[in-house]
Amino acid sequence: MAKKGKKLREARTKVDSLRKYTLDEALDLMKELSFANFKESADVSFKLGVNPKYADQMVRGSALLPHGTGKTVRVMAFVKGDKEAEATEAGADYVGNEEMIEKIKGGWFEFDAVVASPDMMGQVGKIGRLLGPRGLMPNPKVGTVTQDVGRVVKELKMGRIEFRVEKAGIVHAPFGRCSFEKEHLKENLLELLSVIQKAKPSSTKGTYVKGIAVSSTMGPGIRLDVGNVLEYLR
């Protein structure tokens, strides 16, 4: 642990906490300061000008990153009838209905994402208290309760991520691996920001995106110049 602490302290000395970096500068620095002996995620935080305690200022959705997250996603599909074949052909790792629900009740959670057809939600709701705290509960607001099961399974396998604003008005999300090419990281981050921009609540007043910061899993946060980043979307 001491060795990691030393590396983190060294990395922090290379980041000017008073400076706001351009997108290119920040991504270069993040990649340079990735020091862990495993493939670190590239993470981003958006500080939004919303108050999530009001329902009409909740920001939530999903984004399909053009270059994926670099992670292997195991997808569980709760479906029945013809939808079982559709989910299997699309690449779902686990497909089923009541028997899979019973398996989960027994403590099985060998999956990373869940999609369900609407006719299964009555049964899936019975394990909501198990799926919810793990961020696995299907939700129509992010498209994981759908008749188009095959498409959503494919997107989840390709690198579709979900995001939700927290109490402090911050959205945290991964946007790839630090080992990705910088241009791929840039395209992923901008796609995510574009989706968050489109999810702006109509009731929001003033500045919407107030701050952006990136970091590797173990590295220090690097603040970005919001104006510079938004220029890419214009």
Side-chain angles (χ1 to χ4, degrees), residues 4-100:
K4 287 185 179 179
K6 180 180 178 181
K7 288 183 178 180
L8 179 56
R9 288 195 298 271
E10 289 176 351
R12 284 175 174 163
T13 65
K14 297 181 181 180
V15 178
D16 184 345
S17 61
L18 300 178
R19 180 180 172 189
K20 293 183 179 179
Y21 294 81
T22 66
L23 179 54
D24 282 309
E25 289 172 337
L27 294 179
D28 283 334
L29 189 55
M30 181 190 70
K31 287 171 66 65
E32 177 191 338
L33 300 182
S34 175
F35 58 81
N37 57 3
F38 60 87
K39 292 182 178 179
E40 293 187 74
S41 290
D43 300 317
V44 61
S45 298
F46 299 99
K47 172 63 176 175
L48 304 181
V50 298
N51 188 341
K53 77 175 183 179
Y54 299 110
D56 63 353
Q57 291 195 39
M58 173 57 65
V59 178
R60 183 175 188 178
S62 63
L64 179 57
L65 304 183
H67 302 287
T69 62
K71 298 180 181 179
T72 299
V73 180
R74 300 165 297 175
V75 179
M76 170 74 236
F78 289 111
V79 289
K80 56 186 176 181
D82 295 342
K83 292 295 179 182
E84 291 189 60
E86 180 182 333
T88 300
E89 291 171 7
D93 298 271
Y94 306 103
V95 179
N97 35 70
E98 286 83 358
E99 77 283 1
M100 300 305 292

